[in-house]
């Protein structure tokens, strides 16, 4: 007969939490999850692994002043164990590691408090952590932090990342030669002699299962016999960096399941927090929920995913949780709410104020316009505006923020100029806000949709030798491996030429301006051409070319008008490290450029814009475009920007 309350057993080397539904064993004082007993399986975690390599918090750090996104890998081992709460309703335990100057250069200068929580009647457990840097300590960079779970490879073979992203997965053994053949980078492997022959010829790459933060709320694995699910549920994005469309890893071959908190994936070093000497910093990551479910014999194991989604909604609706014992985690009554209404004012689209339908509206650290996408030290709070532009951002931690927004279908970023101070219990009504996007004159032509993604452009079929069957005839075609190599095959004799009014960007604009691979395995620059016709030209006027990028990787955008050999009208300089071409992301960080085009550079009749990406040392240097627009000169009666309704 299972007991109904939560029990805690503290031993010399282990701590066991048990609520009758599951039993979780942690190493003492390390705070590493060594065992999860559930539904007749003695351990869901990989028993072939050392106890330290089953379920753990980890981080990647580097000394202050270092560059890049890599560093010292640290599986965080506690040095002190403490019981925080022990009742029949709840057990919360703490594993802490404190820093002092004797550890300088050896350990990241952080005090780390890892918490694990089990509740009565709950089919899972929670974990969160408090990271603290005192201002008298040396600075450091924090490239990544997460929780990782290594599941039993003899049990968990079916992985689910989304309704339309689920499949039986290869074994970790299949990725190792001679069964697996590494491709252009170690994460991508072609399965040449897999244990399960059905996988032969496919590509496996963990980056094919990345998800944007806003959608990355539940993922995991299913064991078919007995039918058991292992799910990682993240009920809030507030502690993740980079905003709602930043992409992160989920689950992948191992079987591995990750709860990502900080990463530079799809962004590069811009998303590496750099904590300076003299800077006090503290952040709570989590809580996240590890949820376990099972079905009766004869029931469909895939129904475990439907149940996991239902549980995810329960967790989201319960946020912020009431149970965490740390005073650093703010409860609902300590937080505040911010609401308002956002309009778009673009006089060349409409004389009216347009409700910002579907706008992403968020609160993040005060900064420049658009700075939220590179903000990685503090908390962010986002929501979507409704069809009428009304937005409500609830349960915001106390502090000073800027209010930021961007609107699908509209270029650029909005920022409310006055900082917003959120206090406990506040309900701040911002009233009517107006975003006036960059605009000088009427649209003469445009390419693409301003949505911060290259998804609307032409994504080719993969080379048949490098497919992942999941993404054949799938909306996320861009997640196939090797698509960058298709450019030279599709354009063997010259680069892309797009003719306004004739070409269709959905078929005629390749999703990424990549380098061209030559026969000697070197790469060369590419220059794309946009041809357009002007019936008349104002020789004394100033036209405006706006180019929005969805991604850039060690690349440069050069723009020339009508003469491909002229000095560039514009150069971005070296930009971007988001690596989204190699990582099968259809976007990384957003860049928006506006350049004046003197009317004297244009002619009546046929004109051309030349877009050159000159940096060409690798196949992954390139640009993804979001949207391009040419505006005519502003009419004489142009009025000054308006800021309120």
């Amino acid at each position: 007969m299972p007991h109904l309350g939560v029990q805690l057993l503290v031993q010399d080397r282990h701590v066991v939490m048990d609520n009758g539904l599951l039993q979780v064993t942690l190493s003492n004082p390390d705070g590493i999850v060594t065992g999860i007993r559930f539904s007749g399986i003695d351990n869901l975690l990989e028993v072939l692994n050392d106890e330290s390599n089953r379920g753990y918090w980890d981080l990647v750090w580097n000394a202050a002043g270092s560059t890049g996104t890599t560093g010292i890998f640290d599986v965080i081992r506690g040095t002190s164990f403490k019981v925080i709460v022990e009742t029949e309703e709840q057990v919360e335990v703490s594993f802490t590691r404190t820093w002092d100057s004797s550890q300088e250069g050896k350990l990241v200068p952080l005090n780390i408090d890892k918490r694990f929580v089990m509740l009565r009647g709950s089919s899972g457990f929670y974990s969160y952590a408090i990271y603290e840097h005192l201002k008298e300590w040396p600075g450091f960079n924090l490239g990544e932090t997460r929780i990782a779970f290594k599941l039993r490879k003899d049990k968990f073979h079916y992985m689910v990342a989304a309704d339309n992203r689920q499949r039986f997965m290869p074994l970790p053994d299949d990725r190792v030669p001679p069964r697996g053949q590494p491709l252009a980078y170690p994460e991508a492997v072609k399965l040449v002699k897999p244990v399960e022959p059905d996988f032969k010829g496919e590509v496996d790459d963990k980056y094919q299962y990345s998800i944007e933060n806003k959608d990355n709320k539940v993922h995991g694995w299913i064991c078919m016999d007995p039918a058991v699910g292992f799910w990682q549920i993240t009920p809030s994005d507030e502690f993740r960096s980079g905003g709602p469309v930043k992409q992160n890893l989920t689950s992948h071959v191992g079987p591995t399941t990750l709860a990502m908190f900080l990463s530079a994936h799809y962004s590069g070093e811009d998303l590496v927090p750099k904590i300076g000497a003299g800077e006090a910093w503290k952040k709570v990551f989590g809580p996240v929920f590890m949820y376990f479910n099972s079905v009766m014999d004869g029931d469909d194991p895939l129904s475990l995913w439907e149940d996991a989604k239902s549980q995810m909604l329960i967790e989201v609706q319960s946020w912020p949780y009431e149970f965490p014992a740390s005073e650093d985690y703010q409860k609902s009554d300590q937080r505040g709410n911010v609401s308002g209404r956002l309009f778009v004012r673009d006089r060349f689209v409409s004389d009216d104020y347009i409700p910002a339908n579907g706008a992403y509206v968020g609160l993040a650290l005060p900064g420049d316009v658009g700075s939220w996408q590179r903000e990685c030290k503090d908390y962010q709070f986002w929501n979507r505006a409704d069809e009428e532009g009304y937005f409500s951002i609830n349960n915001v931690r106390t502090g000073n923020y800027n209010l930021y927004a961007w609107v699908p279908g509209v270029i650029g970023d909005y920022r409310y100029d006055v900082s917003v101070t959120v206090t406990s219990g506040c309900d701040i009504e911002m009233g009517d806000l107006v975003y006036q996007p960059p605009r000088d004159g009427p649209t003469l032509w445009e390419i693409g949709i301003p949505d911060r993604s290259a998804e609307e452009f032409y994504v080719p079929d993969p080379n048949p030798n490098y497919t992942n069957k999941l993404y054949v005839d799938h909306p996320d075609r861009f997640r196939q491996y090797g698509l960058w190599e298709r450019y030279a095959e599709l354009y063997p004799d010259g680069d892309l030429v797009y003719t306004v009014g004739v070409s269709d960007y959905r078929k005629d604009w390749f999703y990424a301006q990549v380098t061209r691979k030559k026969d000697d395995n070197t790469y060369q620059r590419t220059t794309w051409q946009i041809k357009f016709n002007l019936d008349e030209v104002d020789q004394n006027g100033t036209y405006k070319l706006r180019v929005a990028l969805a991604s850039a990787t060690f690349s440069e955008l050069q723009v020339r008008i009508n003469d491909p050999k002229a000095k560039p009208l514009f150069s971005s300089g070296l930009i971007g490290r988001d690596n989204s071409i190699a990582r099968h992301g259809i976007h990384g960080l957003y860049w928006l450029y506006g350049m004046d085009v003197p009317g004297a550079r244009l002619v009546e009749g046929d004109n051309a814009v030349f877009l050159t990406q000159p940096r060409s040392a690798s196949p992954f240097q390139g640009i993804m475009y979001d949207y391009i627009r040419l505006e005519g000169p502003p009419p004489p009666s142009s009025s000054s920007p308006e800021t309120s309704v």
Side-chain angles (χ1 to χ4, degrees):
M1 186 75 183
H3 50 80
L4 297 176
V6 191
Q7 294 188 343
L8 178 67
L9 177 63
V10 180
Q11 304 167 328
D12 284 346
R13 302 291 303 278
H14 293 95
V15 175
V16 181
M17 300 187 295
D18 190 331
N19 67 0
L21 296 172
L22 75 154
Q23 185 184 85
V24 177
T25 303
L26 300 128
S27 58
N28 183 6
D30 295 341
I32 290 171
V33 183
T34 63
I36 300 170
R37 178 182 292 175
F38 177 74
S39 192
I41 301 178
D42 58 343
N43 198 346
L44 304 182
L45 301 179
E46 183 53 88
V47 293
L48 300 177
N49 287 7
D50 184 82
E51 282 199 348
S52 64
N53 185 26
R54 296 182 187 175
Y56 52 85
W57 284 77
D58 68 33
L59 56 82
V60 174
W61 72 284
N62 230 324
S66 55
T67 59
T69 60
T70 58
I72 302 160
F73 178 71
D74 179 6
V75 173
I76 303 162
R77 295 175 180 270
T79 55
S80 176
F81 165 73
K82 184 178 181 182
V83 179
I84 304 295
V85 177
E86 185 180 8
T87 69
E88 284 205 339
E89 298 300 319
Q90 173 179 344
V91 162
E92 180 165 341
V93 292
S94 162
F95 301 87
T96 54
R97 185 176 84 183
T98 51
W99 192 87
D100 62 54
S101 57
S102 69
Q103 298 161 326
E104 187 163 351
K106 301 171 191 170
L107 288 177
V108 61
L110 283 172
N111 286 338
I112 297 176
D113 183 354
K114 299 186 294 182
R115 301 289 181 98
F116 296 87
V117 182
M118 184 177 282
L119 305 179
R120 178 206 283 262
S122 172
S123 189
F125 67 95
Y126 299 86
S127 189
Y128 67 108
I130 304 101
Y131 290 17
E132 182 175 23
H133 176 261
L134 304 187
K135 67 179 182 180
E136 57 267 27
W137 290 352
F140 68 98
N141 298 350
L142 187 60
E144 183 175 86
T145 192
R146 64 185 190 175
I147 309 175
F149 289 98
K150 310 287 184 69
L151 282 57
R152 282 176 68 155
K153 70 178 183 181
D154 65 333
K155 298 285 187 191
F156 291 95
H157 300 145
Y158 192 86
M159 191 184 88
V160 188
D163 284 338
N164 65 352
R165 298 173 71 186
Q166 51 182 284
R167 59 168 291 170
F168 284 101
M169 297 291 282
L171 290 166
D173 316 55
D174 294 334
R175 292 180 48 86
V176 181
R179 294 190 180 280
Q181 171 193 332
L183 297 174
Y185 44 87
E187 295 89 347
V189 171
K190 182 171 179 176
L191 309 174
V192 288
K193 294 180 183 174
V195 174
E196 179 60 58
D198 283 355
F199 300 134
K200 184 175 181 179
E202 285 200 77
V203 170
D204 177 68
D205 182 347
K206 65 182 180 180
Y207 291 102
Q208 294 180 319
Y209 303 101
S210 298
I211 294 182
E212 293 177 346
N213 282 342
K214 66 183 173 60
D215 301 319
N216 189 357
K217 298 198 182 313
V218 56
H219 58 89
W221 292 84
I222 293 173
C223 167
M224 294 296 177
D225 186 18
V228 167
F230 185 115
W231 307 103
Q232 196 283 303
I233 294 176
T234 302
S236 170
D237 291 331
E238 67 181 48
F239 41 78
R240 286 175 169 156
S241 57
V245 295
K246 161 81 168 75
Q247 296 174 86
N248 270 309
L249 294 171
T250 56
S251 292
H252 59 265
V253 166
T256 299
T257 285
L258 303 175
M260 297 297 305
F261 301 117
L262 273 179
S263 87
H265 297 137
Y266 305 95
S267 56
E269 192 180 339
D270 286 350
L271 264 286
V272 174
K274 295 174 171 64
I275 310 298
E279 180 179 358
W281 180 76
K282 183 189 281 190
K283 189 167 182 180
V284 180
F285 295 104
V288 295
F289 187 41
M290 276 52 71
Y291 176 63
F292 312 100
N293 55 5
S294 60
V295 296
M296 304 290 286
D297 286 347
D299 289 349
D300 182 3
L302 298 186
S303 66
L304 295 169
W305 166 241
E306 298 302 320
D307 175 69
K309 288 191 295 180
S310 298
Q311 187 65 41
M312 176 270 290
L313 292 173
I314 292 169
E315 301 300 324
V316 169
Q317 289 157 10
S318 303
W319 187 271
Y321 295 132
E322 290 302 311
F323 61 78
S326 169
E327 292 183 357
D328 293 311
Y329 178 80
Q330 290 192 346
K331 310 291 174 53
S332 185
D333 62 353
Q334 296 172 282
R335 299 178 177 226
N337 305 311
V338 176
S339 58
R341 190 179 189 189
L342 181 65
F343 294 89
V344 175
R345 174 70 167 133
D346 184 340
R347 65 187 182 279
F348 291 100
V349 173
S350 172
D351 291 334
D352 298 324
Y353 292 92
I354 307 163
N357 178 10
Y360 291 82
V361 187
L363 296 165
L365 273 186
D368 296 333
V369 174
S371 60
W372 58 268
Q373 70 167 344
R374 290 175 171 82
E375 195 286 303
C376 50
K377 288 184 180 180
D378 211 76
Y379 305 89
Q380 296 197 24
F381 302 85
W382 289 85
N383 212 339
R384 301 286 298 270
D386 68 14
E387 291 180 358
E388 296 301 314
Y390 289 101
F391 64 88
S392 181
I393 308 169
N394 298 324
N395 293 305
V396 181
R397 288 179 60 105
T398 54
N400 291 321
Y401 300 92
N402 272 144
L403 185 138
Y404 302 93
W406 60 277
V407 187
V410 179
I411 62 170
D413 272 277
Y414 172 81
R415 184 196 62 176
Y416 185 69
D417 286 339
V418 181
S419 67
V420 178
T421 300
V422 174
T423 56
S424 295
C426 73
D427 281 296
I428 298 173
E429 171 52 59
M430 303 289 291
D432 290 344
L433 308 175
V434 178
Y435 171 46
Q436 185 142 339
R439 169 72 79 173
D440 285 8
T443 299
L444 300 182
W445 52 259
E446 58 188 348
I447 299 171
I449 302 167
D451 58 1
R452 301 181 178 234
S453 162
E455 195 167 356
E456 69 268 26
F457 297 125
Y458 180 71
V459 178
D461 289 330
N463 181 323
N465 295 321
Y466 299 110
T467 59
N468 179 330
K469 289 176 186 171
L470 175 62
Y471 295 114
V472 175
D473 298 323
H474 190 282
D476 292 359
R477 295 167 54 87
F478 55 84
R479 298 195 188 277
Q480 296 280 16
Y481 174 85
L483 299 179
W484 53 88
E485 293 184 339
R486 303 302 317 278
Y487 175 75
E489 298 168 21
L490 289 164
Y491 297 92
D493 303 319
D495 284 327
L496 184 149
V497 177
Y498 184 94
T499 304
V500 172
V502 176
S503 302
D504 179 347
Y505 64 75
R506 294 168 297 181
K507 294 185 285 192
D508 302 317
W509 190 274
F510 198 73
Y511 79 102
Q513 184 170 359
V514 293
T515 51
R516 174 185 292 279
K517 187 177 184 180
K518 300 199 297 189
D519 292 341
D520 61 358
N521 282 333
T522 61
Y523 300 89
Q524 66 182 142
R525 65 168 58 197
T526 54
T527 296
W528 289 9
Q529 197 177 150
I530 304 170
K531 293 183 172 182
F532 61 99
N533 186 281
L534 294 177
D535 291 336
E536 56 183 9
V537 173
D538 179 353
Q539 292 286 326
N540 298 315
T542 300
Y543 293 70
K544 194 79 162 194
L545 183 68
R546 300 195 189 276
V547 180
L549 306 183
S551 167
T553 301
F554 292 105
S555 54
E556 177 183 349
L557 173 64
Q558 295 178 355
V559 179
R560 295 171 174 86
I561 305 291
N562 283 336
D563 181 355
K565 294 185 170 59
K567 180 184 175 186
L569 175 77
F570 168 85
S571 172
S572 65
L574 178 65
I575 55 169
R577 296 186 172 202
D578 65 46
N579 212 20
S580 295
I581 294 168
R583 298 298 190 227
H584 330 291
I586 200 68
H587 68 85
L589 295 180
Y590 178 74
W591 309 76
L592 178 62
Y593 298 108
M595 51 214 80
D596 289 339
V597 180
R601 292 274 191 106
L602 300 168
V603 297
E604 290 184 6
D606 293 334
N607 292 268
V609 173
F610 296 93
L611 304 172
T612 298
Q613 199 298 101
R615 301 187 183 242
S616 54
S618 96
F620 305 124
Q621 288 177 278
I623 285 167
M624 293 185 201
Y625 294 93
D626 169 38
Y627 174 76
I628 304 174
R629 180 170 79 206
L630 181 66
E631 299 171 10
S637 60
S638 289
S639 55
S640 60
E642 295 148 88
T643 55
S644 61
V645 176

